Amino acid sequence: MIQRYSRKAMAKIWSQEYRFRKWLDVEIAVCEAQNELGFIPEKSLAKIKDKADFALESILKKEKENHHEVVAFLQVLQKKVG
């Protein structure tokens, strides 16, 4: 998306930060579903929701190392959650 031709709202939707935030929303939704099915205990789900976050710079750095954005995202998330 060419920045000078984009409205702020549209540029936000196409940003890397927004994309990874949506991925995080999906990961948390999966954990909630797994909690309902009995695979993730309530205490663990609370910890995941509390600690699940990332810094875009960390993901981009990891991506340069392993050449895979999904793996980089998950590695950063795993380190943050523990």
Side-chain angles (χ1 to χ4, degrees):
M1 194 111 229
I2 299 172
Q3 199 67 23
R4 68 175 178 248
Y5 299 125
S6 302
R7 294 185 175 174
K8 285 184 182 183
M10 185 60 73
K12 177 185 171 190
I13 290 171
W14 290 103
S15 72
Q16 289 179 319
E17 176 80 24
Y18 188 82
R19 177 173 41 131
F20 290 124
R21 289 281 160 212
K22 291 301 161 191
W23 287 8
L24 181 57
D25 291 345
V26 170
E27 291 297 326
I28 290 173
V30 169
C31 290
E32 290 171 337
Q34 289 180 335
N35 169 259
E36 290 176 16
L37 295 170
F39 295 114
I40 295 179
E42 195 67 41
K43 185 177 177 181
S44 297
L45 178 61
K47 178 183 175 185
I48 290 166
K49 286 179 157 184
D50 183 51
K51 293 188 171 197
D53 199 9
F54 63 86
L56 179 59
E57 301 79 32
S58 299
I59 295 172
L60 298 177
K61 182 180 176 184
K62 278 286 185 191
E63 185 179 359
K64 284 182 182 179
E65 294 172 12
N66 61 33
H67 308 288
H68 200 289
E69 64 188 354
V70 177
V71 172
F73 169 75
L74 293 174
Q75 286 174 334
V76 168
L77 207 56
Q78 181 183 22
K79 186 175 182 180
K80 185 78 171 172
V81 173

